[in-house]
Amino acid sequence: MNSRTLRLLEYAEIQEALARRALSEEAAALIREELPLTGAPEVENLKASVLAILHLMKGGEEEKRESLPPIGAILPKLDVEGAGLEIDEAYALGIFAERGAELKSWLLKALPPPGGKAGSPGGKAAFPGEKAGPGGLLGELIPALPDCSALAQDVFRVIGRDGKLRDLPEFRAIKKRIQALRGELEAAVARYTGNEETRRMLQSPLPSQRDGRLVLALRANFRGRVRGIVHEVSASGQTVFVEPEEVVERNNGILIEQRALDAEIRRVLRELTRAVAARRGDLALFHRGIVRLEVLRAKARYALETQGVFASGAGDSLIALVQARHPLLGPAAVPIDLVMPPGKRSVIITGPNTGGKTVALKTLGLFALMNQGGLALPAAEGTSLPVFDGIYADIGDEQSLSQSLSTFSGHMVNIAGIAARAGEHSLVLLDELGSGTDPEEGSAIAMAILDHLIERRVCLIVTTHHGILKNYGYTREGVENASVEFDGRTLSPTYRILMGLPGESRALDIAGRNGLPPAMVERARSYLAEERADVSALIRGLRDKHRELDSGREHIRSQEEGLREERRKADLRELRIRQRELELKNAGLGRLEAFLAESRKTLENLVRELREGEITREKTVAVKEFLAGLEEAALEAGEALEREKAGIIADERAVLEPPEAAGSGGSGPVRDPGALEPGMEVLAGERRRRGRVLRPDRKKNGSWIVQIGSLKLSIDGGDLIPAPPGTSPQPYAASVELAERRPPRLELSLRGMRLEEALEALRKQIDGAVLAGLHEFAVVHGKGEGVLMKGVHEYLRGEEAVADYYFSPPELGGAGRTEVILK
């Protein structure tokens, strides 16, 4: 990562905030030195591990938050032959081994079960787009940590939990002798301090310490009265510190025994050091792993306390910041949305000073660094960022007196370096591009820089005040204009980023608001009007048109939803009619079959009687009566079917006629031939195809010749309904049986197909849907790299049978699924 970019974006402030949450000085130092990663798998692996620890914290698992002492400087001492650890050093090793084991035990609960993934209990994905292996970094670090519990036991066998030496058997005999000598010493001193005659010779009744030896503070005029060693004389000469002869022997004895105790302590510590040094390799590996795990725990603690979200990988939009707040601004941060349109890799942001352009640049840059450092972002769900191999920024004043660089020269030096290093997977942030020099030349240089970076497919965000760059954003492919919104009534920014529209600088308004005299502001307006056309008015007009377009789109969307609901209800009513029609036909067919079966039995009996006996008048009469009854029953069945048919037609009329026609008593199915006349538009047959009446059918009474499309058909008047006004003509459809025709699907899945296979399947789907009368279906093509989606949309755009197509709602698949409406 570019160190200058880290400084400009103030990444060190984030590192410091993170270091304060670490429970180890060594982990905090590692955080301050750590740089953001540049590999996508490594970043996702890191975020998966941090999120796994965050879920563990939120899950209520008890966490022991005890500090880890620094031991990195102690470890080299273990390599020195014969070296001995100090008590505090050995104590630090024991505490680190013990508390490190507790941290390891707690983090083991964050590892997923076999077959699961790191990031959440139960094997659920840690965050959208996660590809980390099972356990992430936790799965690599925790199993590799050696067991150092025996080392901790060795340390705490010698040293207590309070950090002091234990009372070992090796020390007890020496301590007992020291205690006896101290008793004798106190008794000898008491003979001086407790005797009335000698006490008057003392400056103080309490003994003193000099060089670790007990002495008496004797008045100078009594110095010859007490035999012993003089250790010191006071500055005034009035007090002499004397060690009496009988006290000297006791002090010497204590000193000798104390030296013996110190030697025994050093021996015990050397033995402890040898035991610890035998595990030097395991301890070093354990130390590195625990410090790394503490860094991950600090990042999880940061996510918990800031209530941030982890950015997913790039989706349809290369960059999407949702309700993003700059983490260093605290409560004063205003949330911003910055979503790069699909297919765009460059955005030019314009607008007034103090409008939030630079803050938006810094927020995006800092978010990219934090994301690649495995940190949660103060934003809302839906935030997505790719992993960049380089993040470069040119923000602020680059003037340098020591290097004889002006502001413009400083910018050019920095941008030249960026242009040489940035590539397809880099993020480049340029603030006030082309400023600091002649506006015309600055604009030309800015466009040349943009051309170079765009040709290298850099992800590019630029802010500027140059008007010519606004036009550049409209004319250059892959570039999107954007602006920061400005409230013209209050003359204050709203910090809202508007994609698709350039912004006004509003320099005159802001100057007036900040104290420039009104006369100067008006004079500036007059100069501005003389020098250039009012581009601001054009921009305001574009913004108004943009708002009107958004409002119109919303209105059309609501109307489309209403129409779809009405269509759904109409389809439901039609389905019910079809179901009733089928039920009636089945019922009629059943009655007809029963009637035919009964008639067949009766007829067979009559034929058998005729064959077995003579033909008599009675038998002939019986046959005639049966045939007459059969004819009468057939007529009754026919009339019943006609009545059922009339009921179906009435139901269909309730569906097909508009409500106002039904409410005003409009005509139903035409049964009186006289009610029809040539030239009348009608709906004919069961499918209610629109046609025009030509003339009465002379060959069939009550029928009419009706032209439907290019066909002329004879249709019974009872099957004709006057067409309501405004009904669009529909082509006549005849039922044709096709060999091996697969029925169309309500949802066609093209995932996993090559583009040629997918388009062939889509062609067959559309053909089948047209033949089956299916007006609407969905195509699932997925998102991926967008090749399949673009191919499907290009095919639908050129297909005559397609009336419209659009992406499904987010809950049904969003950009990975397309709804198709047929004509």
Side-chain angles (χ1 to χ4, degrees):
M1 281 293 169
N2 186 286
S3 59
R4 186 178 174 282
T5 298
L6 296 176
R7 176 177 57 81
L8 284 175
L9 298 178
E10 301 175 275
Y11 186 63
E13 297 293 329
I14 300 298
Q15 290 175 304
E16 191 60 36
L18 184 61
R20 289 195 295 270
R21 291 168 170 83
L23 298 178
S24 162
E25 294 178 9
E26 293 171 313
L30 184 59
I31 288 170
R32 294 184 184 100
E33 297 172 359
E34 194 177 52
L35 295 177
L37 302 174
T38 57
E42 292 83 358
V43 171
E44 293 177 356
N45 201 355
L46 173 59
K47 291 196 290 187
S49 299
V50 175
L51 193 57
I53 301 175
L54 176 61
H55 286 159
L56 191 61
M57 291 177 175
K58 290 182 176 180
E61 294 289 345
E62 183 179 358
E63 176 190 7
K64 290 187 177 181
R65 293 189 55 77
E66 296 179 307
S67 62
L68 296 168
I71 65 171
I74 303 174
L75 296 180
K77 195 172 183 179
L78 300 176
D79 294 330
V80 179
E81 185 69 27
L85 294 171
E86 299 296 332
I87 294 176
D88 57 343
E89 293 175 335
Y91 179 70
L93 292 178
I95 289 293
F96 188 92
E98 186 176 71
R99 293 179 181 176
E102 292 174 352
L103 176 60
K104 173 185 174 181
S105 176
W106 182 70
L107 290 178
L108 274 173
K109 302 173 186 177
L111 289 180
K117 299 186 81 176
S120 60
K124 296 181 180 178
F127 56 92
E130 180 199 336
K131 298 178 182 177
L137 281 178
L138 297 179
E140 299 171 7
L141 291 173
I142 294 179
L145 290 177
D147 184 6
C148 290
S149 57
L151 185 148
Q153 292 173 4
D154 288 343
V155 169
F156 291 117
R157 182 185 61 82
V158 176
I159 302 173
R161 300 287 174 179
D162 57 357
K164 299 179 180 179
L165 276 173
R166 291 184 180 275
D167 187 19
L168 299 177
E170 297 94 321
F171 306 149
R172 288 173 189 162
I174 300 176
K175 288 182 177 179
K176 186 176 293 186
R177 290 196 296 270
I178 292 175
Q179 187 176 2
L181 289 171
R182 289 189 188 281
E184 294 176 5
L185 179 63
E186 290 174 0
V189 171
R191 284 194 287 273
Y192 288 93
T193 59
N195 187 296
E196 184 66 28
E197 182 180 353
T198 57
R199 188 168 53 190
R200 64 185 182 83
M201 296 187 294
L202 300 178
Q203 196 72 261
S204 170
L206 298 177
S208 300
Q209 287 273 355
R210 289 295 183 274
D211 299 325
R213 302 176 73 89
L214 205 64
V215 297
L216 296 176
L218 193 67
R219 298 178 187 272
N221 56 330
F222 294 106
R223 184 178 59 181
R225 301 283 297 273
V226 178
R227 297 179 60 82
I229 300 172
V230 176
H231 283 264
E232 188 179 339
V233 178
S234 67
S236 63
Q238 298 297 318
T239 304
V240 180
F241 294 94
V242 177
E243 182 182 4
E245 289 180 345
E246 58 182 314
V247 173
V248 170
E249 292 299 324
R250 274 83 174 174
N251 274 331
N252 289 342
I254 292 174
L255 181 61
I256 292 171
E257 293 298 332
Q258 188 64 50
R259 293 293 181 268
L261 179 61
D262 292 342
E264 187 64 20
I265 290 174
R266 285 195 298 273
R267 183 190 65 78
V268 170
L269 289 177
R270 280 196 301 271
E271 290 181 358
L272 175 61
T273 303
R274 283 195 296 270
V276 173
R279 303 183 179 89
R280 168 72 170 81
D282 287 349
L283 183 58
L285 182 60
F286 185 80
H287 171 251
R288 289 195 300 271
I290 290 299
V291 170
R292 189 75 185 99
L293 289 175
E294 180 55 31
V295 171
L296 295 178
R297 180 164 68 165
K299 292 181 178 182
R301 175 64 54 180
Y302 179 84
L304 180 68
E305 294 179 2
T306 60
Q307 299 181 347
V309 300
F310 288 90
S312 62
D316 293 337
S317 298
L318 184 61
I319 290 173
L321 302 186
V322 182
Q323 293 294 288
R325 304 178 304 278
H326 195 289
L328 300 181
L329 295 181
V334 178
I336 63 170
D337 292 335
L338 178 57
V339 180
M340 191 173 286
K344 306 289 187 180
R345 298 183 65 87
S346 303
V347 175
I348 298 176
I349 305 177
T350 52
N353 293 309
T354 71
K357 301 188 299 299
T358 302
V359 172
L361 280 188
K362 288 190 172 183
T363 301
L364 172 57
L366 190 54
F367 269 36
L369 293 173
M370 293 172 64
N371 177 57
Q372 293 176 214
L375 297 179
L377 310 178
E381 292 291 344
T383 296
S384 62
L385 286 169
V387 175
F388 300 103
D389 61 6
I391 300 173
Y392 306 97
D394 181 67
I395 301 173
D397 189 357
E398 297 300 316
Q399 182 170 295
S400 172
L401 297 178
S402 62
Q403 300 180 21
S404 300
L405 291 177
S406 66
T407 298
F408 178 73
S409 299
H411 282 300
M412 289 302 102
V413 168
N414 187 33
I415 292 175
I418 293 174
R421 294 190 297 270
E424 181 175 356
H425 301 292
S426 301
L427 172 65
V428 175
L429 309 171
L430 303 178
D431 189 28
E432 304 294 355
L433 182 60
S435 62
T437 187
D438 177 77
E440 186 175 352
E441 294 182 0
S443 297
I445 293 173
M447 289 189 289
I449 293 170
L450 293 178
D451 285 341
H452 172 79
L453 295 175
I454 291 170
E455 288 169 3
R456 301 189 73 167
R457 293 184 55 76
V458 168
C459 181
L460 178 63
I461 310 292
V462 177
T463 69
T464 184
H465 285 286
H466 288 305
I468 194 170
L469 292 185
K470 302 173 186 178
N471 184 60
Y472 180 92
Y474 275 120
T475 57
R476 192 67 158 81
E477 185 178 358
V479 180
E480 183 75 6
N481 268 321
S483 60
V484 286
E485 192 177 43
F486 189 83
D487 191 334
R489 295 172 300 174
T490 61
L491 298 180
S492 60
T494 65
Y495 302 103
R496 179 171 169 240
I497 298 178
L498 304 176
M499 301 303 295
L501 287 176
E504 304 173 71
S505 293
R506 307 299 292 259
L508 300 182
D509 294 332
I510 295 173
R513 186 186 180 195
N514 285 278
L516 194 68
M520 292 185 184
V521 174
E522 290 305 318
R523 179 67 61 87
R525 292 188 192 279
S526 65
Y527 284 136
L528 189 64
E530 294 173 4
E531 294 294 330
R532 69 179 187 186
D534 191 4
V535 178
S536 298
L538 175 61
I539 293 175
R540 286 194 295 270
L542 284 174
R543 184 177 291 109
D544 293 340
K545 291 296 182 183
H546 193 275
R547 289 172 179 165
E548 291 176 6
L549 183 60
D550 287 343
S551 177
R553 284 175 179 168
E554 184 64 28
H555 180 64
I556 291 173
R557 188 179 299 112
S558 62
Q559 285 186 329
E560 287 178 348
E561 291 176 357
L563 290 173
R564 286 197 195 95
E565 181 63 20
E566 291 297 326
R567 182 174 180 176
R568 186 190 66 80
K569 293 179 180 178
D571 289 343
L572 182 60
R573 289 196 297 267
E574 184 177 359
L575 177 61
R576 289 173 180 168
I577 291 173
R578 298 302 178 197
Q579 290 175 341
R580 181 179 173 188
E581 181 180 3
L582 180 60
E583 292 171 358
L584 292 174
K585 286 182 178 179
N586 290 337
L589 182 60
R591 291 196 299 270
L592 183 59
E593 288 177 349
F595 171 72
L596 291 176
E598 185 65 28
S599 300
R600 178 177 293 177
K601 291 179 182 179
T602 304
L603 185 59
E604 288 175 352
N605 291 335
L606 290 174
V607 171
R608 186 171 59 253
E609 289 177 2
L610 290 174
R611 289 178 177 174
E612 293 175 354
E614 297 179 358
I615 299 177
T616 62
R617 183 176 178 278
E618 290 79 6
K619 293 180 179 180
T620 303
V621 170
V623 171
K624 290 181 178 180
E625 290 177 351
F626 169 74
L627 293 175
L630 182 61
E631 181 180 2
E632 183 178 355
L635 290 174
E636 291 178 355
E639 292 175 357
L641 289 175
E642 286 295 329
R643 288 193 297 272
E644 292 173 356
K645 183 177 180 181
I648 292 173
I649 293 174
D651 289 341
E652 289 181 342
R653 175 172 174 263
V655 173
L656 296 172
E657 285 190 349
E660 56 271 15
S664 59
S667 59
V670 180
R671 302 201 180 274
D672 181 9
L676 297 173
E677 57 185 24
M680 178 182 290
E681 296 288 332
V682 293
L683 300 179
E686 293 182 358
R687 297 179 68 87
R688 293 297 177 245
R689 298 296 179 182
R690 189 180 181 95
R692 184 167 56 88
V693 176
L694 298 179
R695 62 179 182 278
D697 188 354
R698 296 184 181 86
K699 298 179 180 180
K700 293 176 65 178
N701 188 26
S703 297
W704 292 78
I705 302 298
V706 179
Q707 182 171 358
I708 302 176
S710 60
L711 298 178
K712 296 180 181 179
L713 304 173
S714 177
I715 301 177
D716 185 86
D719 290 335
L720 299 177
I721 296 176
T727 306
S728 59
Q730 302 181 23
Y732 178 74
S735 298
V736 180
E737 290 295 328
L738 300 178
E740 298 181 359
R741 177 170 63 87
R742 294 180 61 185
R745 302 175 183 177
L746 293 176
E747 184 179 89
L748 175 65
S749 178
L750 303 180
R751 290 175 294 186
M753 296 184 183
R754 296 195 304 272
L755 182 58
E756 295 78 9
E757 297 175 347
L759 295 182
E760 179 61 19
L762 180 58
R763 183 188 66 79
K764 292 181 179 179
Q765 168 74 7
I766 293 176
D767 291 344
V770 171
L771 292 175
L774 180 64
H775 300 291
E776 185 174 352
F777 62 91
V779 179
V780 179
H781 44 67
K783 298 178 182 178
E785 297 180 357
V787 175
L788 201 57
M789 177 190 72
K790 293 178 181 177
V792 167
H793 283 195
E794 288 176 1
Y795 183 85
L796 293 174
R797 191 179 301 117
E799 177 58 49
E800 294 183 356
V802 175
D804 193 11
Y805 63 92
Y806 48 85
F807 286 128
S808 300
E811 62 270 19
L812 297 180
R817 188 174 184 267
T818 297
E819 304 283 345
V820 181
I821 310 297
L822 299 181
K823 295 179 180 178

